[in-house]
Coordinates of all heavy atoms in Angstrom, one line a residue:
R1883 N -26.0 -6.3 16.9 CA -25.4 -5.9 15.6 C -24.1 -6.5 15.3 O -23.9 -7.0 14.2 CB -25.3 -4.4 15.5 CG -24.8 -3.8 14.2 CD -24.9 -2.3 14.2 NE -24.5 -1.7 12.9 CZ -23.3 -1.2 12.7 NH1 -22.4 -1.1 13.6 NH2 -23.0 -0.7 11.5
E1884 N -23.2 -6.7 16.3 CA -21.9 -7.2 16.0 C -22.0 -8.7 15.8 O -20.9 -9.3 15.4 CB -21.0 -6.9 17.2 CG -21.4 -7.6 18.5 CD -22.4 -6.7 19.3 OE1 -22.9 -5.8 18.8 OE2 -22.6 -7.1 20.5
Q1885 N -23.1 -9.3 16.0 CA -23.3 -10.8 15.7 C -24.2 -11.1 14.5 O -24.4 -12.2 14.1 CB -23.8 -11.5 16.9 CG -22.8 -11.4 18.1 CD -23.3 -12.0 19.4 OE1 -24.3 -12.7 19.4 NE2 -22.7 -11.8 20.5
W1886 N -24.8 -10.0 13.9 CA -25.7 -10.2 12.8 C -24.9 -10.6 11.6 O -24.0 -10.0 11.2 CB -26.5 -9.0 12.5 CG -27.7 -9.2 11.6 CD1 -29.0 -9.4 12.1 CD2 -27.7 -9.2 10.2 NE1 -29.8 -9.6 11.0 CE2 -29.1 -9.5 9.8 CE3 -26.8 -9.1 9.2 CZ2 -29.5 -9.5 8.5 CZ3 -27.2 -9.2 7.9 CH2 -28.5 -9.4 7.5
T1887 N -25.3 -11.7 10.9 CA -24.7 -12.1 9.6 C -25.8 -12.4 8.6 O -27.0 -12.7 9.0 CB -23.9 -13.4 9.8 OG1 -24.7 -14.4 10.3 CG2 -22.7 -13.1 10.8
M1888 N -25.4 -12.3 7.3 CA -26.4 -12.6 6.3 C -26.8 -14.1 6.3 O -25.9 -14.9 6.5 CB -25.8 -12.3 4.9 CG -26.7 -12.4 3.8 SD -25.9 -12.2 2.1 CE -25.1 -13.8 1.9
P1889 N -28.1 -14.4 6.2 CA -28.5 -15.8 6.2 C -28.0 -16.4 4.9 O -27.5 -15.8 4.0 CB -30.0 -15.7 6.1 CG -30.4 -14.3 6.5 CD -29.2 -13.4 6.1
P1890 N -28.1 -17.8 4.8 CA -27.7 -18.4 3.6 C -28.4 -17.8 2.4 O -29.6 -17.5 2.5 CB -28.1 -19.9 3.8 CG -28.0 -20.0 5.3 CD -28.4 -18.7 5.9
L1891 N -27.7 -17.8 1.2 CA -28.3 -17.1 0.0 C -29.7 -17.7 -0.4 O -30.5 -17.0 -0.8 CB -27.3 -17.3 -1.1 CG -26.0 -16.4 -1.0 CD1 -25.1 -16.8 -2.1 CD2 -26.4 -14.9 -1.1
A1892 N -29.8 -19.0 -0.2 CA -31.1 -19.7 -0.6 C -32.3 -19.2 0.3 O -33.4 -19.3 -0.2 CB -31.0 -21.2 -0.4
L1893 N -32.0 -18.6 1.4 CA -33.1 -18.1 2.3 C -33.4 -16.6 2.1 O -34.4 -16.1 2.7 CB -32.7 -18.3 3.8 CG -32.4 -19.8 4.2 CD1 -32.1 -19.8 5.7 CD2 -33.6 -20.7 3.8
L1894 N -32.6 -15.9 1.2 CA -32.9 -14.5 1.0 C -34.1 -14.3 0.1 O -34.3 -15.1 -0.8 CB -31.6 -13.8 0.4 CG -30.4 -13.8 1.2 CD1 -29.3 -13.0 0.5 CD2 -30.6 -13.2 2.6
G1895 N -34.8 -13.2 0.4 CA -35.9 -12.9 -0.5 C -35.4 -12.3 -1.8 O -34.2 -11.8 -1.8
R1896 N -36.1 -12.3 -2.9 CA -35.7 -11.7 -4.1 C -35.5 -10.2 -3.9 O -36.3 -9.5 -3.3 CB -36.7 -11.9 -5.2 CG -37.0 -13.4 -5.5 CD -35.7 -14.1 -5.9 NE -35.0 -13.5 -7.1 CZ -33.8 -13.8 -7.5 NH1 -33.1 -14.7 -6.8 NH2 -33.3 -13.3 -8.6
P1897 N -34.4 -9.6 -4.5 CA -34.2 -8.2 -4.4 C -35.3 -7.4 -5.0 O -35.8 -7.7 -6.0 CB -32.9 -8.0 -5.1 CG -32.7 -9.2 -6.0 CD -33.4 -10.3 -5.3
R1898 N -35.7 -6.3 -4.3 CA -36.7 -5.4 -4.8 C -36.2 -4.4 -5.7 O -35.3 -3.6 -5.4 CB -37.4 -4.7 -3.6 CG -38.5 -3.8 -3.9 CD -39.2 -3.3 -2.7 NE -40.1 -2.2 -2.9 CZ -39.8 -0.9 -2.8 NH1 -38.6 -0.6 -2.4 NH2 -40.6 0.0 -3.1
W1899 N -36.6 -4.5 -7.0 CA -36.1 -3.6 -8.0 C -36.9 -2.3 -8.0 O -37.9 -2.1 -8.7 CB -36.2 -4.3 -9.4 CG -35.1 -5.3 -9.6 CD1 -35.1 -6.6 -9.0 CD2 -33.9 -5.2 -10.3 NE1 -33.9 -7.2 -9.4 CE2 -33.2 -6.4 -10.1 CE3 -33.3 -4.1 -11.0 CZ2 -31.9 -6.6 -10.7 CZ3 -32.1 -4.3 -11.6 CH2 -31.4 -5.5 -11.4
S1900 N -36.4 -1.4 -7.2 CA -37.0 0.0 -7.2 C -36.8 0.7 -8.5 O -36.0 0.3 -9.3 CB -36.4 0.7 -6.0 OG -35.0 0.9 -6.2
T1901 N -37.4 1.9 -8.6 CA -37.2 2.7 -9.8 C -35.8 3.2 -9.9 O -35.2 3.1 -11.0 CB -38.2 3.9 -9.7 OG1 -39.5 3.5 -9.6 CG2 -38.0 4.8 -11.0
G1902 N -35.2 3.5 -8.8 CA -33.8 3.9 -8.8 C -32.9 2.9 -9.2 O -31.9 3.1 -10.0
R1903 N -33.1 1.6 -8.8 CA -32.2 0.5 -9.2 C -32.4 0.2 -10.7 O -31.4 0.0 -11.4 CB -32.5 -0.7 -8.3 CG -31.8 -1.9 -8.8 CD -32.0 -3.1 -7.9 NE -31.3 -3.0 -6.6 CZ -30.9 -4.0 -5.9 NH1 -31.1 -5.2 -6.3 NH2 -30.4 -3.8 -4.7
K1904 N -33.6 0.3 -11.2 CA -33.9 0.0 -12.6 C -33.2 1.1 -13.5 O -32.5 0.7 -14.5 CB -35.4 0.0 -12.9 CG -36.1 -1.2 -12.3 CD -37.6 -1.1 -12.6 CE -38.3 -2.3 -12.0 NZ -39.8 -2.2 -12.2
V1905 N -33.3 2.3 -13.0 CA -32.6 3.4 -13.8 C -31.1 3.2 -13.8 O -30.4 3.4 -14.8 CB -33.0 4.8 -13.2 CG1 -32.2 5.9 -13.8 CG2 -34.5 5.1 -13.4

Side-chain angles (χ1 to χ4, degrees):
R1883 183 170 181 261
E1884 64 274 10
Q1885 295 174 12
W1886 194 96
T1887 59
M1888 185 185 78
L1891 289 170
L1893 301 182
L1894 295 186
R1896 298 303 301 169
R1898 181 170 168 264
W1899 283 78
S1900 62
T1901 302
R1903 175 175 287 208
K1904 290 178 181 177
V1905 170

